[in-house]
Amino acid sequence: QVQLVESGGGLVQPGGSLILSCTASGRTSDFSSMGWFRQAPGKEREFVATISWRGDSTYRSDSAKGRFTISKDVAKNTINLQMSSLKPEDTAVYYCAADRETSPFTMATPWGIRGMDHWGKGTQVTVSS
């Protein structure tokens, strides 16, 4: 059984930085892509950044470009999201996800999100002064 466990969330001031980590257990060899998504109160879950588990492809949302970097350590079954220049609108619960079949691009689409194979329980990120 696959489990995804996020860590690293917390309270940070605007302009600050955080690093989120997600550690996977179980049949990680089946993964095609992994990624980070977020959901703010009253809003739908949205794509932040995705990465190919077997290759080098990455994909980021427009809001993440230039501020967030996704990376992986396959040996440790971990992906990270390095976030900088954080804004109050980045406040949300951040979820780690993994899928067995889709590419990083497809994983980011609404149908990719609906069909995701595995989700973590999320970690809260609050950006506030």
Side-chain angles (χ1 to χ4, degrees), residues 5 46 106:
V5 179
E46 65 177 9
T106 302

Side-chain angles (χ1 to χ4, degrees), residues 43-120:
K43 294 188 176 181
E44 292 189 353
R45 193 166 298 189
E46 65 177 9
F47 149 70
V48 177
T50 54
I51 189 166
S52 173
W53 191 241
R54 303 165 187 158
D56 299 324
S57 299
T58 61
Y59 188 54
R60 290 178 291 179
S61 67
D62 288 342
S63 64
K65 288 176 183 175
R67 300 189 301 128
F68 297 178
T69 301
I70 187 169
S71 62
K72 66 182 180 183
D73 186 334
V74 176
K76 296 182 179 179
N77 289 331
T78 298
I79 64 169
N80 297 310
L81 184 68
Q82 187 169 355
M83 305 186 292
S84 60
S85 302
L86 284 161
K87 307 173 183 179
E89 51 263 42
D90 294 317
T91 296
V93 177
Y94 283 69
Y95 296 91
C96 175
D99 198 88
R100 292 172 297 172
E101 296 181 350
T102 57
S103 69
F105 174 79
T106 302
M107 196 183 191
T109 61
W111 54 90
I113 293 173
R114 286 195 297 270
M116 199 72 66
D117 287 327
H118 308 289
W119 290 100

